[in-house]
Amino acid sequence: MKKIFFTSILILGLAGCISDIEEISGTCTVLLKDGTTIEMSQDIRQNTRTGTITYRDEDGKLWSIFKEDYESFDCGS
């Protein structure tokens, strides 16, 4: 019975984390606080709770940009 309870709590906790992620399709441009821009042609994911943007570059490397590092971002269709 304790295993079922623990498993249920774990699943609910993970589901809560997953719901914080928004997938955004299309080309996106991020304006960094230092004035430079990053253009992404693949889908990105934004953690709506923390503002962190995660994307893959043209080489397939995974990158994250934290809210404190960017001014804004814009994604077109």
Side-chain angles (χ1 to χ4, degrees):
M1 185 66 153
K2 287 183 180 181
K3 284 184 180 180
I4 293 172
F5 178 74
F6 178 73
T7 303
S8 299
I9 296 297
L10 182 62
I11 290 171
L12 288 173
L14 290 174
C17 293
I18 292 171
S19 67
D20 290 341
I21 305 300
E22 177 182 0
E23 185 173 338
I24 303 169
S25 299
T27 302
C28 297
T29 303
V30 178
L31 175 62
L32 299 177
K33 289 203 174 184
D34 68 2
T36 59
T37 59
I38 299 174
E39 290 190 29
M40 297 159 251
S41 58
Q42 297 184 19
D43 296 348
I44 68 169
R45 286 165 182 74
Q46 181 189 33
N47 183 311
T48 56
R49 188 173 41 86
T50 66
T52 301
I53 297 171
T54 304
Y55 70 100
R56 290 194 182 272
D57 66 13
E58 56 277 344
D59 296 326
K61 292 181 183 177
L62 188 64
W63 297 91
S64 292
I65 305 172
F66 301 101
K67 180 65 180 162
E68 58 267 8
D69 297 327
Y70 68 89
E71 293 285 333
S72 63
F73 73 96
D74 180 53
C75 299
S77 297

